[in-house]
Amino acid sequence: MWALILGSLVLGSVLGMIYLVSRFMKFPIVRKAAGGKKLPALLLGILAVAGIVCGTGAAFGAINAEIVVLHLVFVWLVCDGAYRIAEKKRGKKFGRYYAGIFALGITAVYLTCGWYLANHVWRTPYTVETDKAVGSLRIVQFADSHVGNTFSGEEFAGWVEDMQEENPDIVVITGDYVDDDTSWEDMAAACRALGTLETTYGVYYVFGNHDRGYYGPGYRGYGGGELAAELEKNNVTVLEDETVVLDGRFYLIGRRDRWEEQAGGRASMEELTAGLDPDKFSIVLDHQPHDYDAQEAAGVDLVLSGHTHGGQLIPLNRMGEWLGLDDKSYGMEKRGNTSFVVTSGISDWVIQFKTGCRSEYVVIDIQGQKVQTGH
């Protein structure tokens, strides 16, 4: 699937660059500089497109250069269509190539906003009400920090300070804390930042699909075991198909990531919830939002996930749902008696733009009935 997506991106980028070269040749300034000759105009068009690709590639990487090209192509096609309609209604041609001017301007503004939405972090609050006599609990959740991409391990400490100001009872990390290219130094610095958190019941973590590293420990200098050890050294509890009880009122169930299921290394929701007290409020940490039916059937109260990056880019926001890869792309919903929250993530993977959402950490206030006397 990902090979197909990446292949389509590359093909689209190549065809898009050919189209863009032809568009730059339409600018009067290019035609004038080329002396009205096609070959020099073609070379200038190639130079302009190469400048965009190389410039964005140097600033954001090759994949993001493709993202810029594809956005520019789409916007330019729309502007070209509007330009031709305007000329037809006007009854004569414009003296300037306004379609190109607007396409460049709109794309620059749009992707600048997208970069800002990816590289800055907002607070997103939710409230979950329950009839269970469990009182209240404040959870701060974040996922998909992919440390080293939009912020370094040291810079991550600033977002940890913001989360501390929420006065959380617990902080939960729902996977992809690090990336395949996260250095040991960035990982260790980010773990030290987590060690400064002061909570009522602790900080908890579950693995995501990138945390163990797709390319083996030798690629980045550490594996899942070393990451877990560094987290635990900084007072973070790592949960792998394990359940802990918080103050006799809440269950916290941390799942192994979905990709481990294929190797038979992940317990089912039925197994994880067997024998649990239904009067307690159960919270599931599951990186990928892809087991909603089983989680609802198991009767858990709240499921927290990440992984989707909120859909990342318009118009692909819900592609994961359309393709059956995810049960939900972003936000909160309730199915039966189970509430589900999918965060867009506090950072990003390779793509440095978010146009369909924004980076965030989540604050969830659970509000239950008054705790029974003697509980």
Side-chain angles (χ1 to χ4, degrees), residues 25-338:
M25 292 172 65
K26 291 175 67 68
F27 280 109
I29 190 172
V30 172
R31 294 201 301 267
K32 184 177 180 181
K37 296 180 180 179
K38 287 188 177 181
L39 182 57
L42 175 63
L43 294 175
L44 288 173
I46 293 173
L47 185 61
V49 173
I52 292 173
V53 172
C54 293
T56 54
F60 305 114
I63 289 180
N64 289 284
E66 290 184 22
I67 296 297
V68 170
V69 167
L70 291 173
H71 275 82
L72 182 56
V73 168
F74 175 78
V75 173
W76 212 314
L77 284 167
V78 172
C79 289
D80 256 345
Y83 181 73
R84 289 174 183 175
I85 292 171
E87 280 190 332
K88 187 174 181 180
K89 287 188 175 182
R90 186 169 182 256
K92 63 178 181 178
K93 293 185 177 295
F94 291 105
R96 295 183 180 180
Y97 183 38
Y98 291 107
I101 296 170
F102 277 103
L104 290 168
I106 291 170
T107 304
V109 171
Y110 183 70
L111 289 180
T112 297
C113 291
W115 181 90
Y116 186 81
L117 291 173
N119 285 267
H120 292 74
V121 179
W122 282 260
R123 171 191 190 270
T124 301
Y126 297 106
T127 299
V128 177
E129 296 181 347
T130 177
D131 292 331
K132 294 185 177 183
V134 294
S136 63
L137 185 79
R138 169 163 281 196
I139 304 170
V140 169
Q141 175 207 5
F142 74 90
D144 303 289
S145 42
H146 294 278
V147 175
N149 285 323
T150 63
F151 49 69
S152 67
E154 295 291 345
E155 291 168 334
F156 174 62
W159 303 124
V160 170
E161 291 175 5
D162 287 351
M163 288 185 271
Q164 180 64 71
E165 291 179 4
E166 302 290 345
N167 296 315
D169 290 312
I170 61 171
V171 172
V172 297
I173 307 159
T174 49
D176 280 1
Y177 181 59
V178 295
D179 199 72
D180 298 282
D181 294 311
T182 303
S183 68
W184 172 274
E185 292 76 16
D186 272 336
M187 181 272 285
C191 290
R192 288 195 298 272
L194 290 177
T196 66
L197 284 166
E198 296 180 4
T199 67
T200 309
Y201 303 116
V203 182
Y204 299 87
Y205 159 87
V206 294
F207 278 95
N209 52 299
H210 284 279
D211 288 320
R212 297 188 190 276
Y214 279 115
Y215 310 115
Y219 180 77
R220 63 184 182 189
Y222 62 93
E226 290 82 3
L227 170 60
E230 200 67 22
L231 287 165
E232 290 169 346
K233 188 170 75 175
N234 287 280
N235 303 316
V236 178
T237 301
V238 178
L239 298 176
E240 296 190 77
D241 283 348
E242 298 170 277
T243 300
V244 296
V245 182
L246 307 177
D247 195 31
R249 299 179 290 142
F250 298 89
Y251 288 120
L252 191 64
I253 305 167
R255 300 195 74 182
R256 290 177 180 268
D257 185 54
R258 178 188 166 209
W259 73 270
E260 297 186 51
E261 197 168 36
Q262 297 176 348
R266 172 161 120 142
S268 68
M269 282 306 305
E270 184 180 9
E271 292 170 318
L272 289 170
T273 56
L276 298 187
D277 182 357
D279 291 330
K280 292 182 174 63
F281 190 95
S282 51
I283 305 162
V284 176
L285 310 181
D286 194 357
H287 176 61
Q288 300 190 44
H290 190 77
D291 202 20
Y292 278 18
D293 289 342
Q295 287 159 343
E296 180 186 349
V300 297
D301 297 290
L302 176 63
V303 179
L304 305 179
S305 302
H307 181 65
T308 65
H309 294 203
Q312 193 84 46
L313 299 169
I314 295 173
L316 307 178
N317 308 58
R318 300 185 66 180
M319 179 174 284
E321 295 175 53
W322 299 334
L323 298 177
L325 301 174
D326 307 305
D327 290 323
K328 189 172 182 64
S329 297
Y330 177 72
M332 180 178 179
E333 73 169 89
K334 192 166 185 177
R335 300 187 183 186
N337 293 318
T338 306

